[in-house]
Amino acid sequence: MYLAIIVLYFFFSNSCNLVQYGHAIESPQYTVVHSESDFEVRLYMESSWMSALVLGTSSFDFEESTKYGFHRLYEYIQGGNLNSSHIFMTAPVLTSINSSSSSGSDYFVRFYIPAKYGGNPPQPNPELNVQLVKWKSHCIAVRKFTGFANDDDNNKEIEALVNSLNKNKTGKAAILEDKSYYSVAQYNASYHLSGRLNEVWINVSGFTAEGCPHYQGNY
């Protein structure tokens, strides 16, 4: 199982300009609508993601859940779909965390669907148990951090992001839509020991002057 994860991570370069064997890696489109020294708010356009749910258990932490969900997504893009199509790698690899689950934290590991599919990618093979999720245009507060993402660091970074948002409240303050639901975006291969880029994401609204729509719900 983990071999597939290593192969998938190999596609990432050590910078934000991601390349897969000469093919630029596509990412969801956004515009920065608000910027501070330690975070920014991005307005993401409509997008589609393939999502693998990993239910919370005592034996599955963030890292193990991401690997397990990632393996199913890797199978999907390597032809595990009804068209037997191979799909180019995209970035980031996104793990959304629902910490309010009664069984612990549930994890949604996600792969961004390239725009050329127009929101209608090849259907996954049923045994992979992955689902297509479509996002409406919405705003996300983002904080960058380095190193290897793990539960401890993720918790510290999302707490720092929430604190920064609270400190920067103004008449057009960010409204946190759900503090118990956030995402971790990873951009680098596991063999990159330095210069790593990760981000914590949390959905916000309230920046209406900058064009953020008011939309409540998890993505």
Side-chain angles (χ1 to χ4, degrees):
M1 181 176 98
Y2 293 161
L3 177 59
I5 305 305
I6 293 171
V7 172
L8 185 54
Y9 271 130
F10 181 75
F11 294 144
F12 290 88
S13 74
N14 194 31
S15 71
C16 294
N17 298 317
L18 301 173
V19 177
Q20 175 184 334
Y21 298 126
H23 173 81
I25 292 184
E26 187 176 345
S27 298
Q29 297 298 301
Y30 67 85
T31 301
V32 176
V33 298
H34 186 91
S35 183
E36 299 288 344
S37 61
D38 57 345
F39 77 93
E40 65 186 23
V41 177
R42 301 172 182 169
L43 173 59
Y44 276 87
M45 305 299 104
E46 292 183 354
S47 58
S48 297
W49 302 73
M50 197 61 69
S51 180
L53 170 62
V54 182
L55 294 175
T57 68
S58 58
S59 60
F60 270 62
D61 60 8
F62 167 82
E63 293 173 273
E64 291 298 317
S65 296
T66 298
K67 288 177 181 178
Y68 178 57
F70 216 13
H71 173 69
R72 288 148 58 191
L73 295 171
Y74 177 77
E75 293 295 324
Y76 168 71
I77 69 173
Q78 289 297 303
N81 53 73
L82 300 187
N83 296 351
S84 298
S85 298
H86 286 243
I87 301 172
F88 279 120
M89 185 59 197
T90 60
V93 173
L94 193 68
T95 303
S96 298
I97 303 160
N98 179 8
S99 60
S100 64
S101 171
S102 59
S103 59
S105 294
D106 291 338
Y107 301 88
F108 300 84
V109 187
R110 290 173 171 157
F111 167 83
Y112 170 67
I113 299 296
K116 74 175 187 178
Y117 291 101
N120 294 296
Q123 294 184 34
N125 290 342
E127 64 271 16
L128 296 179
N129 192 24
V130 298
Q131 295 79 36
L132 179 66
V133 177
K134 295 187 177 183
W135 285 7
K136 295 181 180 179
S137 177
H138 66 291
C139 280
I140 296 175
V142 176
R143 175 182 169 90
K144 298 178 181 180
F145 67 103
T146 59
F148 287 87
N150 56 50
D151 282 310
D152 288 342
D153 287 342
N154 296 344
N155 291 335
K156 291 176 183 177
E157 294 299 332
I158 194 63
E159 182 178 354
L161 176 56
V162 170
N163 288 339
S164 293
L165 287 167
N166 288 333
K167 289 178 181 178
N168 283 275
K169 282 184 176 179
T170 64
K172 53 185 179 183
I175 300 171
L176 299 178
E177 295 182 356
D178 187 349
K179 296 180 183 178
S180 66
Y181 189 95
Y182 64 94
S183 300
V184 177
Q186 299 183 77
Y187 291 87
N188 297 105
S190 57
Y191 56 78
H192 285 141
L193 303 181
S194 62
R196 298 183 60 81
L197 172 63
N198 313 294
E199 297 170 341
V200 285
W201 295 6
I202 192 166
N203 297 330
V204 295
S205 58
F207 288 88
T208 52
E210 288 90 343
C212 291
H214 182 74
Y215 179 81
Q216 291 185 336
N218 293 326
Y219 299 90

